[in-house]
Amino acid sequence: MYAMSVSTRLSPPRPHHLALRGAMMLGVLGIATAAATARAEPSPALDRASISVGAFSADPRINIGADTQFGRIDAPESNPSHTTIPRIKAELLIGDHHGLAFDYYRYDKSYTPTLSGQTTINGQPVTGTASADADLKLDLAKMSYRWWLGSGNDTFGIGLGAAYYNANLSGTATGVVNNQKATARDSIGEHAFAPLLEVGWRHAFTPDLRMYAEASGIKKNGGRINGHIYGGNIGVEWFPFKNIGFVADYGISKIKLHRDSERDADLNIRLTGPSAYVKVRF
């Protein structure tokens, strides 16, 4: 018996530490900046500094193909059940119209597709189809510089920055080879930086009731990893307390990446669903 796993990486080393450090750093800077810019009057749709912690209730659609040490593995589109993805966001306003934003989430769930295509195990073609028992991990962290236009109840933003992503897929494939059951393991993983572009709109019905819409695009060309990550969401914020509020939105993330090397790999993921956060503003 042999072992085989398939993996794909897209996030920073120690992603949980990165998320917490990024959010804490923005929070500390936000307190200092708020004191230094106390006289400024930004749009009521914006906060001087904020941290949002919550979860994305996602409906995933996943398609993966990869060259392994045992041959080509292709998995048709899979629709795993709803999953909850932890997410953390932080924002810092510098002056009235400029700021920084941080966003991080992690997908880490089991993945059990039925394999198709020219699947081989231990170098031999599989008779019929094969199955996989795998674990898919996807981390995405974004940091951007934002410029906000307008100071009334409506404000429009443009953001430029970078994303660091890491994907890893590892598991075991099982199928029938020469009329006998065979098993193999392998793993594939990659990570990379990519430029980030964001646009957004925010409206304040009152300083404590607001609405927003955001969209972002990450495009990676050159090197071993190519592809794009697109996303967007629309939501509302409500602050029943001066500095503590609740956020609810609905969003979509589309991830399509290709690894071009001696062992090619393709990763296609679509995540859609609602999110909910507790937001603290300073």
Side-chain angles (χ1 to χ4, degrees), residues 1-4 69-71 120-125 177 182-185:
M1 301 285 268
Y2 291 77
M4 178 191 88
Q69 59 180 311
F70 305 102
T120 63
I121 294 180
N122 303 333
Q124 299 296 317
V177 175
T183 301
R185 278 188 177 276

Side-chain angles (χ1 to χ4, degrees), residues 139-269:
D139 293 279
L140 176 62
K142 300 185 291 184
M143 178 72 82
S144 64
Y145 175 86
R146 290 181 176 177
W147 179 32
W148 293 101
L149 307 173
S151 57
N153 289 343
D154 288 281
T155 183
F156 300 86
I158 300 173
L160 296 174
Y164 187 74
Y165 53 82
N166 183 73
N168 182 280
L169 177 68
S170 60
T172 302
T174 302
V176 176
V177 175
N178 296 327
N179 297 319
Q180 293 185 343
K181 186 177 180 180
T183 301
R185 278 188 177 276
D186 198 4
S187 66
I188 303 170
E190 287 293 346
H191 59 86
F193 283 100
L196 166 69
L197 174 64
E198 297 178 318
V199 294
W201 164 78
R202 295 187 180 182
H203 173 76
F205 299 101
T206 72
D208 297 325
L209 181 61
R210 305 183 297 202
M211 180 179 181
Y212 65 90
E214 300 174 329
S216 65
I218 302 167
K219 183 69 174 178
K220 178 67 169 65
N221 290 321
R224 298 203 314 173
I225 296 293
N226 296 279
H228 60 258
I229 302 176
Y230 299 138
N233 54 292
I234 182 169
V236 294
E237 300 177 339
W238 174 53
F239 286 85
F241 309 101
K242 181 178 179 180
N243 298 106
I244 301 176
F246 303 98
V247 182
D249 70 23
Y250 189 90
I252 180 171
S253 293
K254 173 65 177 174
I255 301 162
K256 184 175 183 179
L257 299 170
H258 173 73
R259 184 180 73 172
D260 186 11
S261 65
E262 67 280 359
R263 287 168 61 181
D264 291 349
D266 296 283
L267 173 65
N268 289 277
I269 299 178

